[in-house]
Amino acid sequence: MKIYKFGGASVKDAEGVRNVANIISQEKNNEILVVISAMGKTTNALETLVNATFKNEKSASDVLQAIIQSHNELLAELFQENAFIWINEVRNLFLELECLIDNENLKDDYDFLYDQIVSYGELISTRIVSAYLISQNIQNQWIDARNFIITDSRYRDAKVQWEETEKVVSNRLKPLSAKNLIITQGFIGKGEKGETTTLGREGSDYSAAIFGKILGAESVTIWKDVAGVMNADPKKFDNTVLISELSYNDAIELAYYGASVIHPKTIQPLKASNIPLFVKSFLNPSEPGTKVSDDSQPLSVPCKIHKSNQIMLEISTKDFNFIVEEHLKQIFEALSQYKVRAHIMQNSAIHFRCVIDNKENKHMPLIEHLGSMGLNIHIIENLDLLSVYQPIESSRDEMKQFGNIIMQQNMGNAAHYVIQK
Ligand code: ASP
Ligand code: MG
């Protein structure tokens, strides 16, 4: 059995859907489970819808109508005069969304509302792709991933309950997937009360890995609009090259520091079961792309990762006493409580510094909390974090082109630079 995962860019328009159908059709006689994301930028549009709905803004219904309209255009192009036969289920999903945004009872908890609304992106896209495949005589079984990916109820960042997920996937999905081509959603799951949850933005890769691990897949393939994993983002660096082989550990490190091709949680389940991961281009399906596995060669080129929109918190005591263990304990407890991840940390006599994502709704409560404990917090803004693996001697000079290096950390074969623009 193979797992294929197609991201939003692969199904952004009718031509994309036809291309995806073509790639799937090559495997139609083999066991295959296909995970598909929301189409194009639908998830972003649904996020706008959540914001407008939460704030009771009139624009919510316009935002929703625009989402419906763009899907309708795609349906019309895909199915032409037969569209009405296929779009029944999709229409019903639109209707459910309309009812959701009118439902006053759902508007108390932003994160809960988010999961209930944003999950529709994948429900709609998978219904459309499944129907299109059937219209092309490619039989398949659409399944609702929420019956299989069982999570806790931490909305927007739900944690998979492995035991329950394993049980239901093995008992219910495995027999089905042995006989049918399965089309399902990434990113979404079912929480403790049976409600919809999501695994965090770009979480569909992770869903594919979960299905792959439990179903004992021979491989998982993530189809992207890039040739595979590159050693750096070609939009930001010159002379980038494709990495044809990557170890699980290197892939985990790169994903952790922000290489956006692979979702950070994806590798762990695959590594545990030694299932190779392929990252391939849906535009050039016959190209080999990147293989992530245990039998890969060590990285032979430096990999560079650029994470923008960072800030540094410079924390000191009010009277500039030494930062001691007690302060560190308070700081780490607060980071954990407010779920803020410190990408880079550094401690000196009177300062603790950490670099975090610039997300106001997350760091402002953290800062207030630290302030209430008698700590001073100075925020340094407009930062980027650049990470280089297998750093070459000249990497520091190269990084200077992005701004002033205000912090540097070397760890084993990696160097991290915090840069002020
Ligand atoms: N559609 C979701 C997102 O854009 C999940 C995914 O694409 O992996 O974040
Ligand atoms: Mg997406």
Side-chain angles (χ1 to χ4, degrees):
M1 130 134 316
K2 286 184 188 168
I3 312 288
Y4 276 4
K5 181 258 164 173
F6 291 96
S10 68
V11 286
K12 70 178 194 313
D13 50 25
E15 195 191 331
V17 175
R18 287 192 281 262
N19 180 50
V20 164
N22 197 20
I23 295 175
I24 294 173
S25 71
Q26 319 284 321
E27 293 289 332
K28 69 177 174 194
N29 296 325
N30 299 322
E31 280 180 34
I32 169 167
L33 178 142
V34 181
V35 170
I36 300 168
S37 296
M39 296 175 146
K41 301 273 178 237
T42 304
T43 304
N44 293 354
L46 287 165
E47 284 187 343
T48 309
L49 178 63
V50 175
N51 292 337
T53 305
F54 190 68
K55 293 187 201 142
N56 263 324
E57 283 170 1
K58 285 211 180 65
S59 62
S61 97
D62 297 340
V63 176
L64 178 53
Q65 288 317 311
I67 294 170
I68 294 177
Q69 168 80 10
S70 67
H71 283 91
N72 274 338
E73 281 165 14
L74 186 137
L75 284 166
E77 197 184 330
L78 266 185
F79 297 106
Q80 288 160 9
E81 64 274 18
N82 290 325
F84 68 96
I85 304 175
W86 305 109
I87 59 181
N88 219 345
E89 283 120 358
V90 181
R91 272 226 183 103
N92 187 51
L93 291 170
F94 293 151
L95 187 63
E96 283 180 17
L97 259 180
E98 281 171 337
C99 296
L100 262 179
I101 67 166
D102 290 341
N103 188 340
E104 291 303 324
N105 297 329
L106 299 177
K107 295 182 186 170
D108 298 338
D109 178 345
Y110 180 89
D111 290 349
F112 173 75
L113 181 71
Y114 180 103
D115 284 2
Q116 308 321 301
I117 290 182
V118 171
S119 48
Y120 274 81
E122 345 295 286
L123 292 170
I124 295 167
S125 68
T126 48
R127 280 290 190 193
I128 293 176
V129 174
S130 169
Y132 180 70
L133 289 170
I134 290 175
S135 78
Q136 301 302 300
N137 292 321
I138 303 172
Q139 295 312 315
N140 66 87
Q141 172 75 51
W142 180 93
I143 63 147
D144 189 329
R146 292 173 296 186
N147 290 321
F148 299 100
I149 305 291
I150 312 298
T151 70
D152 64 10
S153 291
R154 257 182 276 189
Y155 306 119
R156 298 181 67 185
D157 188 25
K159 299 285 167 295
V160 173
Q161 310 288 10
W162 275 94
E163 226 172 275
E164 286 173 60
T165 302
E166 246 170 310
K167 201 156 63 181
V168 65
V169 170
S170 304
N171 291 345
R172 300 279 174 221
L173 185 56
K174 203 167 192 163
L176 209 59
S177 66
K179 296 199 196 82
N180 303 275
L181 159 60
I182 304 284
I183 303 293
T184 193
Q185 309 80 42
F187 179 54
I188 68 174
K190 180 163 74 182
E192 285 149 10
K193 295 178 233 50
E195 76 286 28
T196 305
T197 56
T198 66
L199 305 176
R201 282 301 304 260
E202 309 301 333
S204 299
D205 293 0
Y206 183 38
S207 303
I210 298 167
F211 285 123
K213 180 181 163 57
I214 303 176
L215 293 171
E218 63 179 86
S219 64
V220 172
T221 305
I222 297 179
W223 295 92
K224 310 263 316 175
D225 55 356
V226 291
V229 179
M230 309 293 288
N231 73 321
D233 181 348
K235 289 186 212 109
K236 293 176 180 163
F237 293 90
D238 297 332
N239 307 322
T240 53
V241 293
L242 176 75
I243 305 172
S244 55
E245 289 182 10
L246 197 58
S247 70
Y248 292 118
N249 284 353
D250 284 340
I252 288 171
E253 289 277 330
L254 295 180
Y256 179 85
Y257 279 101
S260 57
V261 263
I262 309 172
H263 185 272
K265 287 187 189 157
T266 308
I267 310 292
Q268 214 78 48
L270 301 180
K271 176 180 153 80
S273 298
N274 214 355
I275 299 170
L277 173 76
F278 293 94
V279 181
K280 288 172 64 119
S281 162
F282 58 75
L283 300 168
N284 293 303
S286 56
E287 295 288 314
T290 299
K291 179 180 180 189
V292 182
S293 70
D294 247 352
D295 39 53
S296 66
Q297 299 297 316
L299 279 171
S300 59
V301 287
C303 290
K304 299 165 208 161
I305 300 155
H306 184 179
K307 221 173 162 58
S308 50
N309 205 18
Q310 303 290 300
I311 56 171
M312 188 190 287
L313 303 184
E314 198 171 64
I315 304 173
S316 55
T317 61
K318 286 239 158 50
D319 35 16
F320 287 99
N321 278 331
F322 292 143
I323 289 271
V324 294
E325 292 71 16
E326 194 52 37
H327 302 120
L328 294 176
K329 181 174 165 226
Q330 289 176 330
I331 294 168
F332 281 115
E333 274 175 359
L335 286 169
S336 154
Q337 181 180 342
Y338 292 93
K339 296 199 184 99
V340 174
R341 181 193 284 169
H343 302 301
I344 295 284
M345 292 175 261
Q346 213 170 60
N347 197 24
S348 67
I350 53 168
H351 284 123
F352 173 85
R353 299 184 180 88
C354 61
V355 176
I356 62 174
D357 291 339
N358 182 14
K359 283 191 191 146
E360 233 174 79
N361 59 344
K362 277 199 156 185
H363 68 246
M364 285 326 282
L366 167 76
I367 288 168
E368 273 170 32
H369 179 91
L370 291 170
S372 74
M373 294 190 308
L375 294 165
N376 263 335
I377 297 101
H378 172 58
I379 306 177
I380 304 172
E381 292 180 311
N382 284 327
L383 303 181
D384 288 350
L385 177 62
L386 281 135
S387 302
V388 183
Y389 282 83
Q390 308 257 327
I392 34 172
E393 282 308 311
S394 60
S395 73
R396 186 180 164 92
D397 291 336
E398 191 190 352
M399 294 306 139
K400 281 184 187 158
Q401 63 172 306
F402 295 101
N404 253 342
I405 299 175
I406 63 164
M407 190 198 274
Q408 179 177 345
Q409 221 169 54
N410 289 359
M411 290 188 286
N413 63 352
H416 303 283
Y417 302 92
V418 181
I419 305 218
Q420 191 161 38
K421 288 178 279 187

